Amino acid sequence: MRYADIYKSWQDDPEGFWMEQAKAIDWVVPPTHALNDSRAPLYEWFTDAQVNTCYNAVDRHVENGRGAQNAIIYDSPITDTVRYVTYHDLRDQTAALAGALRDKGVGVGDRVIIYMPMVPEAIVAMLACTRIGAIHSVVFGGFAANELAVRINDATPKAIIAASCGLEPNRVVAYKPLLDGAIAQASHKPDFTIVLQRDQQPCDLTDGFDFDWHAVQDGVTPADCVPVSGDHPAYVLYTSGTTGAPKGVVRPTAGHLVALHWTMKNFYNVNPGEVFWAASDVGWVVGHSYICYAPLIAGNTTVVFEGKPVGTPDAGTFWRVIQDHKVRSFFTAPTAFRAIKREDPKGALIKDYDISSLRALYLAGERADPDTIIWAQDVMQVPVYDHWWQTESGWPMVGNPAGIEALPVKIGSPTVPMPGYDIRILADDGTEMPTGELGSIAIKLPLPPGTLPTLWQAEDRFVKSYLTNFPGFYETGDAGLIDEDGYLYVMARTDDVINVAGHRLSTGAMEEILANHPDVAECAVIGVHDDLKGQLPMGFVCTNKGTARSDAEIVADCVRMVRDSIGPVAAFKLVAVVNRLPKTRSGKILRRTMVSIADGADFKMPATIDDPAILDEIRESLKPLGYGR
Ligand code: COA
Ligand code: AMP
């Protein structure tokens, strides 16, 4: 079958399409129907089924003869380690940790926060939770204690599983002080923690509260897989919204299994037993779906890579990993390739490696710029597929369905909608835009299996954020257009979310932090262009009159406050002190105009601007930062 036939078969009979895909999953009680629309416009999938995620990702492969196959290859250039975990090992490790959690009182529906670097134990921890029906929430290691505290308060976990440290190329990141700080700051307190001690920096454990990863598993009876209902949350993953409060995206168990399984062959074009590598982090949705769950559900081998595209030790690392582990399909963010290209513009290092195992490169997480795509194609000599999705969807919404049929690549477009996604371009009044014209990218409800049914403990926010502006549609927050061949082009965000090195961040959250500085009267944060990271946050602050502190001191405070509060991953280093901010006559800050000035792009003078002269002041203030020329 060709892509168009498959997409049409879904359009003609969505229920039948997903029931057919559901056959690939081992159910305890199979679903009798796919969609539950009893609470429309809130939808759920496979609600009457009983199933276990860990069983489908691990145990069934052991039972079906894949026990000796590698489930995980851990490759850590930072520690100079390669370790293999077979499906058999993974089952035993997962069952033991799940047993320890169960014995300490964690059960179905309890939340467990996981704060771990890129080590196989992070995957074991995630699977141990789903094995017993506990709901995990992984927090990215580059976030500061405050962000962890916010998530502890929202998820109210019974337990936290952490490592003693993470490893960045230039430093060891001690996790335990961050963890202790977050617990001290949070109003909710977990019952206990489990800590994986790493040789690079072990930590002190508090008796009776912090339990050693290995000691806590000693002598426990391994836990069996506990069936849960299809709509039971497998996990909650927090992502940036427009305010400082992150959104807890809920991932439903059954839809997640069915949809992710479908993507591995049809989209990423890998067969069971083949090696799939997503160079991301378990703290992001790409890590959840394509380092942990999807490759394991489909019986692939997944690579857990603890390193960076450059500097660990050099820009040839990706090629070495592809060669050594015979990677078939490779997924990363465009920024990683921009980093490699900057270090090794001619791609000279690739000549030292044999990457003939590789079929294709998949890029997502941010806009894939044409230069990067063309460079990657030239250097790697494999097809490069851009694809578009978000934390909320959990799997690709638009891409090139190479496992079904490789469609012609149009550089600048992630290609076409996957089955399940009816994508429309809407004007502000909700009417459809003509072909080729820019508007809000929206998806006709219901969203397909595996996508978010709601936000954790925040149904009203879910409805308000995604379902209200365009009734009957899910609002993606992206703007774009669809061309005459049905190809989507994603152009920009419609909200205050920015994308820094493939990491989704909220400028609103940064403004909330800067506004807390006692000498800051007013502020704005925008996303400006950066050749490496795609975007960087840039702050503008107006200081209070008569402050004793110098502008330079206030700028340094602002940088430190964002780093301490959100974390180093915010990469917040650019701050300009200005006398006033450009506003409309009604007092709205003209952030988009400021972005255009910073990026040196053409813009139309906003008709409602209060005082156009401010724009020259803004331009001048940007020059010392290397922008606005
Ligand atoms: N734990 C602790 N700190 C972390 C971290 C983690 N897991 N990840 C990043 N950081 C820190 C970095 O050390 C850096 O700190 P610094 O300001 O002290 O130098 C800061 O956060 C910014 O990190 P990063 O965005 O990684 O920038 P970089 O300059 O160190 O590296 C790239 C640039 C392009 C190499 C890097 O961003 C990269 O590999 N990107 C790939 C993106 C990706 O996989 N995205 C996932 C979505 S698919
Ligand atoms: P996240 O939820 O962190 O995965 O971020 C999702 C957002 O990243 C999307 O809403 C887009 O704004 C952006 N994004 C992801 N993939 C792409 C892509 N292929 N092209 C353009 N933007 C993308």
Side-chain angles (χ1 to χ4, degrees):
M1 278 236 269
R2 308 191 54 157
Y3 158 77
D5 302 323
I6 291 182
Y7 191 77
K8 182 154 190 319
S9 75
W10 161 73
Q11 280 178 312
D12 290 346
D13 179 13
E15 184 86 9
F17 180 87
W18 290 116
M19 285 300 275
E20 183 61 30
Q21 308 318 321
K23 290 182 183 156
I25 298 307
D26 283 334
W27 305 93
V28 178
V29 178
T32 61
H33 59 275
L35 183 67
N36 180 343
D37 59 4
S38 58
R39 294 187 64 223
L42 305 177
Y43 298 92
E44 304 262 10
W45 292 89
F46 308 113
T47 39
D48 68 353
Q50 291 280 316
V51 67
N52 182 276
T53 297
C54 184
Y55 179 79
N56 278 279
V58 185
D59 297 49
R60 68 165 171 167
H61 299 311
V62 178
E63 290 167 18
N64 295 338
R66 286 191 188 280
Q69 180 193 314
N70 289 326
I72 300 173
I73 299 173
Y74 167 57
D75 189 308
S76 168
I78 294 197
T79 59
D80 202 15
T81 310
V82 175
R83 182 150 54 97
Y84 301 90
V85 182
T86 64
Y87 271 101
H88 196 283
D89 299 336
L90 186 58
R91 184 197 55 190
D92 291 353
Q93 291 176 24
T94 302
L97 182 64
L101 288 169
R102 176 206 55 209
D103 289 357
K104 298 197 75 55
V106 177
V108 176
D110 289 332
R111 275 80 56 209
V112 176
I113 280 188
I114 299 173
Y115 188 52
M116 297 184 89
M118 285 295 290
V119 290
E121 288 83 354
I123 309 281
V124 172
M126 293 162 81
L127 291 164
C129 290
T130 50
R131 191 171 187 89
I132 54 171
I135 302 167
H136 64 68
S137 190
V138 182
V139 180
F140 177 61
F143 282 128
N146 175 62
E147 288 289 320
L148 182 54
V150 167
R151 287 156 175 76
I152 293 173
N153 281 340
D154 199 72
T156 59
K158 211 167 213 178
I160 300 185
I161 306 178
S164 58
C165 67
L167 304 172
E168 284 296 287
N170 52 357
R171 69 203 149 96
V172 175
V173 182
Y175 278 17
K176 191 60 175 18
L178 295 170
L179 177 61
D180 290 345
I183 294 174
Q185 193 181 328
S187 50
H188 170 84
K189 309 291 175 196
D191 292 353
F192 66 96
T193 78
I194 294 178
V195 180
L196 175 75
Q197 295 281 20
R198 301 193 75 190
D199 294 343
Q200 293 76 14
Q201 187 159 331
C203 60
D204 291 337
L205 301 180
T206 304
D207 261 359
F209 183 70
D210 298 322
F211 294 88
D212 173 74
W213 172 279
H214 295 288
V216 80
Q217 300 182 40
D218 255 4
V220 301
T221 307
D224 288 333
C225 295
V226 177
V228 296
S229 71
D231 55 348
H232 180 73
Y235 68 78
V236 175
L237 177 60
Y238 289 89
T239 190
S240 298
T242 48
T243 68
K247 295 168 168 169
V249 168
V250 172
R251 188 75 58 216
T253 297
H256 185 228
L257 286 165
V258 173
L260 290 190
H261 182 275
W262 184 87
T263 60
M264 288 311 286
K265 174 64 196 149
N266 293 290
F267 187 73
Y268 293 106
N269 200 14
V270 283
N271 295 308
E274 292 181 339
V275 181
F276 180 83
W277 178 25
S280 177
D281 189 286
V282 284
W284 307 115
V285 71
V286 175
H288 281 63
S289 295
Y290 292 107
I291 297 174
C292 181
Y293 288 111
L296 297 178
I297 293 163
N300 295 113
T301 299
T302 184
V303 179
V304 171
F305 173 71
E306 189 181 37
K308 301 263 175 178
V310 294
T312 59
D314 59 29
T317 288
F318 277 8
W319 322 138
R320 192 222 10 109
V321 173
I322 293 168
Q323 166 191 275
D324 287 359
H325 307 308
K326 302 199 168 34
V327 174
R328 295 295 259 177
S329 285
F330 177 40
F331 176 175
T332 193
T335 192
F337 268 77
R338 289 196 294 269
I340 298 173
K341 183 173 154 220
R342 197 165 70 165
E343 294 269 306
D344 179 18
K346 294 204 157 55
L349 290 172
I350 205 165
K351 298 188 177 61
D352 299 339
Y353 301 95
D354 171 7
I355 64 155
S356 56
S357 61
L358 194 71
R359 275 201 206 106
L361 167 67
Y362 294 78
L363 296 175
E366 57 173 328
R367 198 180 100 79
D369 53 288
D371 282 358
T372 302
I373 295 186
I374 292 165
W375 186 85
Q377 276 171 350
D378 286 351
V379 167
M380 299 176 84
Q381 293 292 311
V382 295
V384 177
Y385 300 125
D386 181 15
H387 59 310
W388 171 74
W389 52 296
Q390 42 185 210
T391 307
E392 290 84 343
S393 69
W395 58 282
M397 301 188 281
V398 166
N400 199 322
I404 302 170
E405 166 193 24
L407 297 177
V409 169
K410 291 195 193 185
I411 290 181
S413 165
T415 316
V416 292
M418 292 298 102
Y421 294 98
D422 178 354
I423 300 200
R424 308 288 176 96
I425 306 295
L426 303 181
D428 289 349
D429 65 2
T431 55
E432 253 183 80
M433 296 298 288
T435 301
E437 287 192 26
L438 191 67
S440 294
I441 308 177
I443 302 167
K444 201 159 187 309
L445 295 173
L447 291 176
T451 56
L452 83 170
T454 189
L455 293 174
W456 180 252
Q457 309 282 31
E459 194 162 282
D460 288 352
R461 188 175 181 197
F462 171 69
V463 172
K464 194 161 168 283
S465 304
Y466 302 106
L467 308 184
T468 302
N469 280 350
F470 303 117
F473 293 86
Y474 164 86
E475 183 182 4
T476 65
D478 285 322
L481 56 91
I482 296 178
D483 75 5
E484 62 288 353
D485 296 324
Y487 280 50
L488 178 78
Y489 292 75
V490 183
M491 312 303 278
R493 287 289 300 188
T494 56
D495 56 15
D496 296 330
V497 166
I498 58 170
N499 201 312
V500 179
H503 308 319
R504 177 166 156 183
L505 298 166
S506 161
T507 54
M510 296 182 211
E511 288 180 3
E512 285 173 26
I513 294 164
L514 301 186
N516 276 331
H517 191 294
D519 294 319
V520 170
E522 211 181 4
C523 65
V525 177
I526 59 171
V528 296
H529 174 80
D530 180 69
D531 281 343
L532 175 64
K533 297 193 178 188
Q535 280 184 302
L536 280 178
M538 178 184 283
F540 294 83
V541 295
C542 307
T543 55
N544 288 321
K545 288 217 163 43
T547 166
R549 290 175 76 71
S550 69
D551 285 359
E553 285 171 321
I554 293 172
V555 166
D557 290 346
C558 289
V559 169
R560 185 180 38 74
M561 284 168 76
V562 173
R563 192 177 171 96
D564 288 352
S565 189
I566 296 181
V569 69
F572 182 79
K573 290 174 183 160
L574 301 169
V575 186
V577 177
V578 292
N579 289 322
R580 35 191 198 149
L581 296 169
K583 291 187 184 166
T584 62
R585 282 187 284 276
S586 59
K588 205 166 166 285
I589 298 172
L590 289 162
R591 293 184 179 77
R592 282 188 202 289
T593 309
M594 293 162 78
V595 173
S596 301
I597 294 173
D599 290 348
D602 293 338
F603 66 93
K604 223 169 93 203
M605 181 66 72
T608 54
I609 191 165
D610 187 31
D611 176 5
I614 304 181
L615 299 184
D616 290 330
E617 290 175 33
I618 293 290
R619 189 173 289 112
E620 283 309 306
S621 73
L622 287 165
K623 288 191 178 150
L625 301 174
Y627 282 84
R629 286 172 203 285

